């Protein structure tokens, strides 16, 4: 991270955010300090990741010695392989667990009640989970920080017994974010943005309530706005 850089001339492996790598490109356009670069979670397709992939693709023309590894659980491997000069594809099978999926279309709920949002639907889904089960933490995905606060307030008003409601988003302090990784003996309901989809593994989660929505940063090249 930018404020906790502990690397030196003897460092063999450096772990960094996409923002740090972008800053290094600004200082060293050819990234001569590195012989191998791994881009993880490439399927997130953020503005930073998209730019890095495009830049590294061009950089390999100037630095054919540079090794580039792109990892992801869901990207279209054939398309990426073709874009990077028919690079070899290596597949690693992960462990699979049985998952029960319950789908509650919001359109059907809107027909029953005109004033019904995805936040209301998520809160009702959490209530059903808590009523039907006695153990296992719940992870709820919300698209924005505002939605997280509204969902937390609604859940707090339902007086869920023996449940701890925890928000999780990027602007929280490190200490506040660490609360989701420290079980206190109570059932936890974690309400998070898509920060928890791929980058974080929260122990104890058995149920996931997903609104299907996420807030993503996009760059519009026509009017040059993000």
């Amino acid at each position: 991270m930018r404020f906790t850089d502990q690397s030196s001339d003897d460092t063999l492996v450096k772990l960094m955010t996409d923002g740090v790598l972008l800053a290094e490109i600004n200082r060293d356009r050819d990234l001569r300090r590195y012989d191998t670069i791994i881009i993880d979670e490439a399927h997130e397709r953020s503005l930073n990741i998209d730019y890095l992939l495009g830049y590294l693709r061009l950089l390999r023309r100037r630095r054919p010695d540079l090794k580039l590894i792109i990892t992801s659980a869901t990207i279209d491997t054939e398309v990426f392989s073709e874009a990077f000069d028919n690079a070899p594809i290596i597949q690693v099978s992960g462990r699979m667990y049985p998952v029960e999926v319950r789908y509650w279309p919001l359109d059907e709920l809107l027909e029953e009640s005109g004033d019904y949002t995805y936040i209301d639907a998520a809160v009702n889904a959490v209530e059903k989970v808590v009523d039907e089960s006695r153990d296992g933490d719940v992870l709820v995905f919300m698209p924005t920080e505002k939605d997280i606060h509204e969902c937390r307030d609604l859940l707090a008003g339902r007086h869920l017994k023996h449940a701890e409601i925890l928000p999780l988003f990027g602007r929280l302090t490190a200490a506040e974010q660490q609360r989701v990784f420290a079980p206190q003996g109570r059932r936890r309901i974690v309400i998070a943005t898509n920060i928890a989809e791929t980058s974080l593994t929260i122990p104890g989660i058995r149920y996931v309530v997903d609104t299907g929505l996420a807030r993503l940063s996009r760059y519009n090249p026509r009017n040059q706005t993000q």
Side-chain angles (χ1 to χ4, degrees):
M1 294 173 59
R2 184 165 46 137
F3 302 112
T4 58
D5 186 358
Q6 299 178 6
S7 60
S8 67
D9 292 339
D10 297 326
T11 298
L12 297 178
V13 179
K14 182 174 179 179
L15 212 63
M16 69 183 93
T17 63
D18 48 13
V20 170
L21 183 57
L22 285 172
E24 296 208 3
I25 289 175
N26 193 40
R27 295 192 300 268
D28 178 12
R29 298 299 174 92
D30 290 338
L31 295 174
R32 290 292 177 184
R33 296 182 59 191
Y34 304 102
D35 62 12
T36 304
I37 294 179
I38 301 175
I39 301 293
D40 193 18
E41 308 289 5
H43 56 266
E44 290 188 358
R45 296 301 306 278
S46 65
L47 180 62
N48 284 356
I49 294 296
D50 277 3
Y51 178 84
L52 285 172
L53 290 172
Y55 185 87
L56 292 172
R57 180 169 177 263
L58 297 176
L59 176 59
R60 290 194 70 253
R61 298 176 184 176
R62 302 197 305 269
R63 282 200 57 195
D65 61 304
L66 179 66
K67 300 179 182 67
L68 181 60
I69 301 172
I70 301 172
T71 67
S72 168
T74 58
I75 62 172
D76 189 331
T77 53
E78 298 292 341
V79 171
F80 270 72
S81 174
E82 183 179 350
F84 287 89
D85 304 323
N86 296 314
I89 299 172
I90 301 174
Q91 295 184 344
V92 180
S93 299
R95 290 175 296 178
M96 302 294 290
Y97 297 93
V99 176
E100 177 189 356
V101 178
R102 301 183 185 182
Y103 179 54
W104 293 319
L106 191 61
D107 293 342
E108 296 179 6
L109 300 172
L110 282 171
E111 292 177 0
E112 301 174 5
S113 173
D115 186 18
Y116 196 82
T117 68
Y118 56 86
I119 299 177
D120 297 319
V123 169
N124 287 340
V126 171
E127 280 193 307
K128 288 183 180 181
V129 167
V130 173
D131 290 340
E132 294 176 4
S133 60
R134 295 183 178 181
D135 56 2
D137 296 336
V138 184
L139 174 61
V140 184
F141 283 123
M142 286 288 161
T144 68
E145 179 182 334
K146 178 178 178 293
D147 293 333
I148 289 177
H149 291 306
E150 185 175 342
C151 182
R152 180 181 62 178
D153 293 341
L154 287 174
L155 287 171
R158 301 297 175 95
H159 303 292
L160 298 174
K161 295 182 179 179
H162 310 299
E164 183 180 14
I165 304 172
L166 300 170
L168 178 62
F169 49 88
R171 290 207 312 153
L172 288 174
T173 64
E176 291 172 321
Q177 292 188 30
Q178 284 299 317
R179 291 179 61 195
V180 304
F181 302 105
Q184 301 295 326
R186 301 169 59 191
R187 189 173 205 175
R188 298 175 303 158
I189 301 172
V190 180
I191 313 171
T193 58
N194 59 339
I195 187 177
E197 283 183 353
T198 55
S199 301
L200 299 178
T201 301
I202 303 173
I205 297 295
R206 180 173 286 185
Y207 307 94
V208 176
V209 177
D210 193 351
T211 60
L213 301 172
R215 182 181 180 184
L216 300 177
S217 179
R218 295 292 186 216
Y219 179 73
N220 189 329
R222 179 171 299 176
N223 54 24
Q224 298 183 348
T225 59
Q226 185 171 339

